[in-house]
Amino acid sequence: VLFQIFDAFKSRLHDSNSKVNQVALETMYKMIPLLKDNLSPVINMLIPAMVDNNLNSKNPGIYAAATNVIQALCQHLDNYLLLQPFCTKAQFLNGKAKQDMTEKLA
C-alpha cells in the first residue's frame, strides 16, 4: 500500500505547476517525521523525485522546501538508508544541487 501511495505522490514532487510542486514538498516534509524508517521501501524512488530539479530550482520556495525535506530525511531516517541514494544523486547532479548533496554526504 505504501508503495502505491508514494508512486502516485512522487509525480507531484516534480510537478510542472510550481505551486503543486511546492505543496507536495512541504507535505513530504511533514510526513517524514511520522513515517521515519517506514519510508525505507520507497526511499530510492522518492529521493530522485524530491531532489531532481528542486534543489536547482530558481523558485526560492521550492528550493527551501526541497532543502527542508533533505534535512528532515537526515534527521529522521537511519543514515544507511540514505547513503546510496544520496551518493547517486551527488554523482549525477550539477550546480547547487550537487553541492547540497555533497555537503549532506560529508
Side-chain angles (χ1 to χ4, degrees):
V1 174
L2 189 69
F3 188 81
Q4 292 170 329
I5 291 168
F6 281 102
D7 191 43
F9 183 72
K10 78 175 180 175
S11 61
R12 302 292 65 87
L13 292 165
H14 49 83
D15 198 278
S16 59
N17 181 322
S18 61
K19 290 179 184 176
V20 171
N21 187 358
Q22 185 172 341
V23 169
L25 287 164
E26 291 167 354
T27 301
M28 192 69 224
Y29 174 76
K30 294 174 185 172
M31 287 191 291
I32 292 168
L34 301 173
L35 295 172
K36 298 183 181 182
D37 289 340
N38 292 319
L39 286 171
S40 63
V42 294
I43 202 69
N44 287 327
M45 167 181 68
L46 286 177
I47 288 177
M50 292 183 279
V51 170
D52 293 353
N53 301 323
N54 295 324
L55 282 180
N56 276 330
S57 178
K58 291 183 170 111
N59 180 318
I62 290 174
Y63 176 77
T67 55
N68 286 341
V69 165
I70 299 301
Q71 186 62 38
L73 288 170
C74 293
Q75 287 177 330
H76 297 285
L77 273 72
D78 281 337
N79 289 337
Y80 76 90
L81 293 173
L82 301 174
L83 185 60
Q84 184 60 47
F86 276 20
C87 283
T88 302
K89 288 287 101 189
Q91 183 178 4
F92 294 108
L93 288 171
N94 56 33
K96 181 92 172 106
K98 184 177 191 96
Q99 179 183 343
D100 289 344
M101 293 306 296
T102 303
E103 286 174 8
K104 286 297 172 196
L105 279 168

